[in-house]
Amino acid sequence: GAGVSQSPRYKVAKRGQDVALRCDPISGHVSLFWYQQALGQGPEFLTYFQNEAQLDKSGLPSDRFFAERPEGSVSTLKIQRTQQEDSAVYLCASSLNPSAKNIQYFGAGTRLSVL
Amino acid sequence: GDSVTQMEGPVTLSEEAFLTINCTYTATGYPSLFWYVQYPGEGLQLLLKATKADDKGSNKGFEATYRKETTSFHLEKGSVQVSDSAVYFCALEGGSYIPTFGRGTSLIVHP
């Protein structure tokens, strides 16, 4: 596609519910990132994939958070037993290859509200 | 660890006014520095970048100069437009490819 696509754009979940957030990166992009953006804050790194390999998950806040990219393209971020503190915008970004100088292209994000 | 500090917003200006948004950073080594812009309802877009000291990044009338001596990367524009209203994020990338973002500065430009 033309850009990074995320779905759904908005998700309301009851506390304790599991959610799955989808990211379609730009075709051919090797690197994929997930970020969490709390209200009034900048994006905070969650996890990084190079193709299907999850090379860094140091930013995942708890073991309730899980991400996968099984075929090296589409990625899913899953949050189990959601809590109110999980409410945030979840951003996905992709870049052509794992160079520190490469541009990251961001999706519009999924706004998660946990009630 | 690495960190980025931006001036708090919102910054409110009239059209054609001069814009400065301050950004300072803390990092080991020689990071690359970036400004991203986020328009309402959209994802972050790279606005400009600089990869070494004294480099000037520029795009769409915006400029920022990498100042190692003051660890700063202030964003400037000589004449803002209503369409520049957005949230601006300063960011750095150190030795890894994981950027560290500032909190963002909201810019509101009135006609």
Side-chain angles (χ1 to χ4, degrees):
Chain A
V4 178
S5 177
Q6 292 188 245
S7 60
R9 288 296 311 275
Y10 304 92
K11 177 68 178 177
V12 178
K14 292 183 179 179
R15 192 173 55 178
Q17 185 179 353
D18 297 349
V19 299
L21 312 179
R22 177 187 170 104
C23 172
D24 278 274
I26 294 173
S27 178
H29 277 196
V30 169
S31 299
L32 186 145
F33 300 78
W34 282 100
Y35 297 89
Q36 182 189 60
Q37 185 178 17
L39 188 64
Q41 303 291 321
E44 296 277 349
F45 169 78
L46 293 177
T47 187
Y48 165 70
F49 289 86
Q50 185 176 320
N51 294 309
E52 70 278 2
Q54 189 175 18
L55 298 186
D56 190 333
K57 53 182 181 179
S58 61
L60 296 177
S62 78
D63 59 7
R64 296 186 294 104
F65 286 71
F66 172 75
E68 60 183 5
R69 193 186 184 196
E71 297 179 358
S73 56
V74 171
S75 178
T76 304
L77 176 67
K78 298 178 179 178
I79 309 174
Q80 297 176 325
R81 305 181 303 281
T82 52
Q83 304 295 314
Q84 285 189 322
E85 62 263 27
D86 300 334
S87 295
V89 175
Y90 290 86
L91 298 171
C92 176
S94 70
S95 65
L96 184 59
N97 57 53
S99 164
K101 303 297 189 286
N102 261 336
I103 296 171
Q104 292 193 19
Y105 295 87
F106 283 79
T110 294
R111 182 177 297 278
L112 173 65
S113 298
V114 181
L115 306 178
Chain B
D2 296 347
S3 67
V4 174
T5 303
Q6 291 181 235
M7 62 188 290
E8 287 199 25
V11 173
T12 305
L13 296 172
S14 297
E15 206 164 25
E16 299 183 3
F18 183 85
L19 168 71
T20 300
I21 300 179
N22 290 338
C23 170
T24 57
Y25 68 90
T26 302
T28 54
Y30 303 95
S32 294
L33 301 175
F34 304 82
W35 277 101
Y36 286 84
V37 59
Q38 186 174 30
Y39 298 103
E42 299 184 14
L44 277 73
Q45 303 172 27
L46 180 66
L47 181 60
L48 53 84
K49 67 177 183 179
T51 58
K52 62 182 187 296
D54 299 325
D55 267 3
K56 177 185 285 187
S58 61
N59 186 26
K60 300 181 181 179
F62 291 89
E63 294 183 340
T65 300
Y66 189 141
R67 301 287 189 200
K68 186 166 175 57
E69 63 276 13
T70 53
T71 61
S72 65
F73 193 54
H74 304 322
L75 182 68
E76 297 181 336
K77 187 175 185 183
S79 175
V80 293
Q81 306 299 313
V82 172
S83 58
D84 293 328
S85 298
V87 180
Y88 292 81
F89 293 91
C90 185
L92 69 82
E93 282 183 19
S96 74
Y97 30 73
I98 299 170
T100 299
F101 289 87
R103 295 180 60 172
T105 302
S106 175
L107 170 65
I108 301 170
V109 181
H110 293 294

